[in-house]
Amino acid sequence: MPETVNGPVADLGATLMHEHVFGLSPEILWNWPDIPEGWELETRAREAAAKLDAVKAAGIDTIVDLTVVGLGRYVPAVRRVAELTTVNIVAATGLYTYDALPPYFGNRGPGSLFGGQDRLAEFFVRDLTEGIGRTGVKAAMLKCASDHLGMTKGCERVFRAVAEAHLETGAPITTHSHSASRGGLDQQKLLASLGVDLGRTVIGHAGDSTDLAYLEELVANGSYLGMDRFGIETISPFEDRVAVVAAMCERGHAGRMVLSHDSYCFNDRFDADVVRRRHPNYHLLHVPRDVLPELRGRGVTEDQIHQMLVGNPRRIFA
């Protein structure tokens, strides 16, 4: 059974596959706790739970929280949210960087200043099999990233560690990719060379692209596509995002797509008022309230919507 923050569940139901509960900046919060955004765990947990309760009422049962090291993961706060809502929250492990590794890892391991063993995979496996920190919460998904800089040495180390942890545990993988440079293909090439089953891999942010040939190449290589930034319209507008999903469904690829927003319940890295003005649809209710009706209007069937929201996540975590 898939692991959630509250333990294993029999069925995840309708699932948003790429979301975040909290994005935090620990060093800022430690040193300047009076920042305007503010951080008080119980207050923020209750706010987040209310947002999740609203998405539950809109028909969503589960979110996959892809906040990993590098994005301010703090599982005790997420665990408190899980206690306050009936929405399942799936935790992830991995490391988020577009370039160099954090110094703890950058100064250790192969090719580093001091050399020695690379502990990344060890930490990822521990999160998956024993639990994250001292919380007892087990991760159920692995995450790695590359972006406009391509597969840097730091990114490659994370991908290699994620592949090792995947092979040891069977946990699925999701990526952050840069669609403008067709970066998902390089990710697939590296992961496949390391023995990863691309059928257990989601190429994240594939929905930023309107290049159907690129998306079909990713599908032909075996991966799922993360159509997972609905609401971020500065990268790709609503019209293009829904048109691409509808076109891919028409071409028979509903069985290879998952839907989401890449949104946060609380994120101290951006000014909330500015985000609301620039991205008014960047929230957990956009897919159920706006995207799904638009897809239905474009001929996407209920079976195809069920595949993207229920069937594909179920297979990914099987």
Side-chain angles (χ1 to χ4, degrees), residues 7 22 59 62 77 97 111 129 140 168 195 227 229 243 247 257 264 267 269 271 276 283:
F22 297 126
T62 300
T97 181
T129 60
E168 184 169 338
M227 317 307 275
R229 274 182 162 174
M257 291 187 288
Y264 288 79
N267 183 2
R269 298 176 178 213
D271 184 291
R276 277 190 289 269
H283 54 76

Side-chain angles (χ1 to χ4, degrees), residues 14-155:
T15 302
L16 298 176
M17 284 289 293
H18 194 130
E19 305 293 349
H20 302 273
V21 180
F22 297 126
L24 304 175
S25 305
E27 288 190 287
I28 303 299
L29 297 175
W30 291 340
N31 292 286
W32 297 292
D34 57 345
I35 58 172
E37 294 76 14
W39 171 257
E40 198 281 316
L41 192 155
E42 186 65 18
T43 300
R44 295 302 183 187
R46 290 187 177 277
E47 291 173 353
K51 292 178 180 181
L52 292 175
D53 287 345
V55 82
K56 178 73 170 183
I60 301 299
D61 304 298
T62 300
I63 67 161
V64 180
D65 180 0
L66 290 178
T67 313
V68 295
V69 172
L71 289 171
R73 183 180 69 173
Y74 185 51
V75 173
V78 179
R79 183 175 58 185
R80 179 58 182 144
V81 176
E83 293 170 352
L84 295 168
T85 183
T86 57
V87 173
N88 301 311
I89 303 173
V90 176
T93 187
L95 194 146
Y96 186 88
T97 181
Y98 296 165
D99 190 1
L101 294 172
Y104 181 91
F105 297 106
N107 291 329
R108 294 172 168 87
S112 70
L113 179 62
F114 296 103
Q117 182 181 358
D118 191 340
R119 302 194 67 190
L120 282 167
E122 172 195 340
F123 288 173
F124 299 162
V125 170
R126 185 189 304 172
D127 285 357
L128 291 160
T129 60
E130 299 177 21
I132 299 167
R134 295 181 176 87
T135 66
V137 172
K138 293 180 181 179
M141 194 157 205
L142 288 150
K143 183 180 181 182
C144 44
S146 63
D147 201 81
H148 62 288
L149 298 174
M151 191 62 68
T152 67
K153 290 182 179 179
C155 290

